[in-house]
Amino acid sequence: MMKMPRGGRLFLATCLGSLFVLVLYFQSITKPEPALKSGSRPGKSRRSPLQTLYNGDQLELSAAQRYLHGRRELLEEACLSHTRKRRVLSPEDLKHLIVDDKHSLIYCYVPKVACTNWKRVLMVLTSDGRYTDPLAIPANEAHVAGNLRTLSEFSVAEINQRLRSYLKFIFVREPFERLVSAYRNKFTRSYNTAFHKRYGTKIIRRHRPDPEPKALENGDDVSFREFVQYLVDPRTQREGPFNEHWEQVHSLCHPCLIHYDVVGKYETLEPDAQAVLTLAGVEETVQFPTSGKSTRTDGNMAARFFKHISPFYQKKLFNLYHMDFLLFNYSTPEYLRTR
């Protein structure tokens, strides 16, 4: 029988023609499979990050690591309380899960939650010496497809093996702060012309009365109110998944279907990132970059943006992101007016 930590989920594959369907299976309490840690010599087994987390002496774990353990349990309880239907996952659903075979890590990246720096760190860890400093890697290079492998690229058997034996981690953020950050980055920066053309022109055409021809052509002056109206518009939801920058985290990373061993938060980014690097045994090899942003989107800034959104649209938007609030233990913002 295959073994894995408490609460783990195992993917079983069924072949239907040329399509693989991944079916979730729950397994009982067991230990993770042994894995060879980075730098280990053949014949000399060392703990993998997953073994360190589940089988290590609790006294050896930092306070931050123990706190992350509690977060994971809260997520499991929320999943049991708030999700009823289970569905199958296909490889297409695994495109946000980045794999580091060298250190037995799987990271589900969430845009606007320090994912650029996490990708930089993983490029250092997987580059065999090509990269040594995360901040020396240009941001656009960190997002180039092919620089890092995703779980969707592997065979079903390889997916199963990695999900059983690798440390799986995710970083999340207060949903409305993440949303405001996405809006500021994609719609108020002059260099994001691709977003202006693809989304801005559509938003203005649908949600601005009597728009100027220049606005219809450039799409570069979308207001936050128009962006919110676009998100809650049934037409938008019928058109398919949201762009990843404002897609709900539970839709990107499937936390009630994939057992994440570590749930980090943007609000405690530095200690949480350090805890993950320590579990992986690479804390002396690479440091997680500290943020130098002076205008970081926080709760006060989000409140200023929502001040001009009517209670009607605030409630619709909250309903849209409600599951992320529930699953990751975020309180309803005090500034929200939903009545």
Side-chain angles (χ1 to χ4, degrees), residues 146-160:
N147 280 343
L148 293 164
R149 297 197 72 182
T150 65
L151 198 59
S152 61
E153 299 173 37
F154 293 88
S155 71
V156 172
E158 291 170 328
I159 290 171
N160 288 345

Side-chain angles (χ1 to χ4, degrees), residues 2-4 28 32 35 100 117 121 131 157 168 209 215 233 255 262 334:
M2 298 179 183
K3 297 182 178 181
M4 61 192 306
S28 58
D100 174 4
N117 280 339
V121 166
Y131 302 106
K168 300 166 290 298
D233 188 336
V262 171
E334 291 184 0

Side-chain angles (χ1 to χ4, degrees), residues 203-311:
I203 291 171
I204 291 170
R205 186 171 65 251
R206 288 184 178 178
H207 301 289
R208 183 178 299 179
D210 303 318
E212 295 290 334
K214 184 179 179 182
L216 283 172
E217 180 182 356
N218 297 330
D220 58 357
D221 64 344
V222 172
S223 70
F224 186 65
R225 184 180 66 254
E226 291 167 337
F227 178 53
V228 169
Q229 290 174 329
Y230 165 75
L231 291 175
V232 302
D233 188 336
R235 291 174 292 180
T236 304
Q237 295 168 44
R238 285 196 299 267
E239 288 168 352
F242 282 172
N243 178 276
E244 62 178 13
H245 292 85
W246 48 85
E247 178 69 282
Q248 298 96 328
V249 175
H250 73 270
S251 295
L252 291 175
C253 296
H254 315 287
C256 293
L257 300 176
I258 296 172
H259 176 80
Y260 288 97
D261 306 290
V262 171
V263 179
K265 289 197 172 185
Y266 189 78
E267 295 79 10
T268 51
L269 176 61
E270 292 182 18
D272 291 358
Q274 183 63 31
V276 171
L277 296 178
T278 301
L279 283 170
V282 297
E283 70 275 15
E284 295 181 4
T285 302
V286 62
Q287 293 295 312
F288 192 85
T290 56
S291 174
K293 293 182 180 180
S294 58
T295 56
R296 187 160 153 173
T297 304
D298 59 12
N300 291 331
M301 183 177 290
R304 292 198 295 272
F305 276 84
F306 274 85
K307 183 178 180 180
H308 303 291
I309 305 299
S310 71

Side-chain angles (χ1 to χ4, degrees), residues 187-202:
F187 294 106
T188 69
R189 304 287 189 266
S190 59
Y191 55 79
N192 268 323
T193 54
F195 271 82
H196 301 160
K197 290 288 187 181
R198 181 173 180 182
Y199 296 102
T201 54
K202 180 189 293 187

